Amino acid sequence: MPRTVLVVGVSRHLGGAFARRLSRDGSIDRIIGVDVVPPRHGIGRAEFMRADIRSPLVSRIISGNDVDTVVHMGVIATPRAGGGRATQKEINVIGTMQLLAACQRAESVTRLVVKSTAGVYGSSPRDPAMFTEDMSAMKMPGSGWARDSVEVEGYVRGLSRRRPDIEVTTLRFANVIGPRVRTAFTDHFSLPVIPIPFGFDARLQFVHEDDCVAAMTHAVHTSGLGPVNIAGDGIVTASQAATIAGRPFVLVPRMTTGTIADLAKRFGLVDIGSDQLDMLTFGRGLDTTRMRDHLGFEPGYSTRAAYEDFARATKGRIMDRLPFAQPGWTAVQAAEAAIRAGTPTSESEK
């Protein structure tokens, strides 16, 4: 059983929520949270230590405190949160390399839990209906968070070969959504007019932010399982998601979707990459048999229920009546006007 748990990325929204939930577990003697900035939210009884996982300090923290369980939630999902794409990649990839090297050297470490993403499967028109954990991407993600996560998982497998005594569980989450978390997808579906690629209606799966934290907590107390898909039951299509959110949607040519995303980035409303654009086009389905049969976890929210909880929280965030739709406007003109009218208020997932 875990006694001393190190949480990497504790100053972020989900990392803080995980630390608070773990604090209620009396079987864990000590919780240490590390991040590059102090948390602005409560972290329960976790002890905060300011450290960059790219530095040797994290190795001294692990060895000096006899950490037996490491929970890696320090992969940054959006370039803006990391100070740009170059910094994001350095933190995600180089930081993970340094963290895993520290785990390899520390004899006390016996368990590693990694928060990953189903984005490692990519999104393409050749995808199977449901991805199992043993499948690989039909089209490998070329950039962004998904590409970083592919590299991160490669380093994790390397650690498993070098230290087979460390039990490793990698949780591949569907898009996390909820009333408090902010991601590229919550930003996209909070726009006053939601662009959807013409000719496509992607199948989307979500996992509620509370279920994300619960699954991470469950994995801390479970023997190493390797990769495990985590998602709520069922799917919603992109058009259904827009309708549930109470937003009109506009069908745009796929090559225009990137232009609209660039406009949204310019006004600071979204931070979406090519991997998310592919997801909005082709969608993705996850098989969650291993989640239930081996991890023993049952999400509290289905995909639709998780999205509806997010949608209720976004009501009134952006103007319900849109006076800017003019006859003859192109999709880009309408989207730019809609973006100018928007005011994001959700909590940032750093």
Side-chain angles (χ1 to χ4, degrees):
M1 297 296 294
R3 296 299 180 189
T4 303
V5 179
L6 179 77
V7 182
V8 178
V10 74
S11 295
R12 297 164 194 165
H13 173 65
L14 292 175
F18 171 71
R20 292 192 298 273
R21 186 181 182 105
L22 204 63
S23 296
R24 301 197 297 265
D25 189 340
S27 67
I28 296 176
D29 297 332
R30 193 179 179 198
I31 305 168
I32 301 171
V34 300
D35 215 320
V36 293
V37 295
R40 295 180 295 176
H41 46 245
I43 56 174
R45 59 185 176 92
E47 308 165 36
F48 176 71
M49 296 185 182
R50 189 167 185 167
D52 189 333
I53 60 174
R54 293 170 292 178
S55 75
L57 179 58
V58 70
S59 181
R60 293 198 292 271
I61 292 175
I62 292 174
S63 300
N65 294 279
D66 291 327
V67 171
D68 56 69
T69 302
V70 175
V71 180
H72 185 19
M73 303 181 70
V75 177
I76 298 176
T78 55
R80 188 172 60 201
R85 173 58 188 150
T87 304
Q88 178 197 25
K89 186 174 180 64
E90 183 180 350
I91 293 173
N92 290 348
V93 178
I94 304 302
T96 297
M97 289 176 61
Q98 295 290 346
L99 176 65
L100 298 184
C103 292
Q104 180 179 337
R105 291 191 295 267
E107 295 182 0
S108 62
V109 175
T110 59
R111 184 167 297 170
L112 172 68
V113 178
V114 179
K115 178 181 177 291
S116 188
T117 171
V120 298
Y121 296 120
S123 294
S124 80
R126 297 183 290 114
D127 287 350
M130 307 290 280
F131 275 102
T132 67
E133 291 84 353
D134 299 325
M135 294 179 178
S136 57
M138 299 293 105
K139 176 187 175 185
M140 190 64 66
S143 62
W145 179 38
R147 180 63 187 181
D148 291 350
S149 296
V150 170
E151 296 186 43
V152 165
E153 289 200 13
Y155 297 134
V156 170
R157 289 191 294 272
L159 174 67
S160 295
R161 290 191 294 269
R162 294 187 296 271
R163 283 283 307 272
D165 58 308
I166 296 179
E167 299 178 346
V168 177
T169 299
T170 302
L171 301 183
R172 294 172 175 169
F173 287 97
N175 292 97
V176 180
I177 204 164
R180 296 171 298 277
V181 69
R182 181 173 180 180
T183 68
F185 267 75
T186 61
D187 281 353
H188 184 84
F189 287 104
S190 295
L191 291 173
V193 174
I194 298 174
I196 295 176
F198 181 78
F200 300 91
D201 198 8
R203 299 174 303 123
L204 306 176
Q205 272 184 303
F206 297 107
V207 58
H208 195 276
E209 57 185 287
D210 292 344
D211 285 331
C212 174
V213 171
M216 296 292 296
T217 307
H218 216 77
V220 166
H221 293 283
T222 306
S223 299
L225 297 172
V228 181
N229 293 336
I230 307 291
D233 288 338
I235 63 166
V236 296
T237 64
S239 62
Q240 287 173 337
T243 302
I244 294 170
R247 306 275 191 259
F249 63 87
V250 58
L251 300 177
V252 297
R254 175 156 158 69
M255 64 180 180
T256 309
T257 312
T259 306
I260 294 176
D262 290 340
L263 291 171
K265 284 184 180 181
R266 186 187 312 167
F267 291 100
L269 290 182
V270 299
D271 196 7
I272 196 167
S274 59
D275 52 330
Q276 286 100 346
L277 290 175
D278 286 342
M279 177 68 174
L280 286 169
T281 303
F282 304 113
R284 184 189 305 119
L286 299 179
D287 181 282
T288 55
T289 302
R290 186 176 295 182
M291 176 187 75
R292 290 181 168 84
D293 293 351
H294 298 278
L295 184 62
F297 177 70
E298 183 71 35
Y301 292 80
S302 66
T303 286
R304 186 180 182 94
Y307 188 84
E308 287 175 345
D309 194 34
F310 153 76
R312 282 191 293 269
T314 61
K315 294 297 184 183
R317 178 182 298 174
I318 297 179
M319 297 162 53
D320 293 327
R321 298 181 65 83
L322 305 176
F324 45 76
Q326 302 295 326
W329 275 15
T330 66
V332 173
Q333 288 173 315
E336 184 171 9
I339 291 167
R340 289 184 184 278
T343 306
T345 60
S346 58
E347 180 181 354
S348 177
E349 167 69 4
K350 297 191 299 175

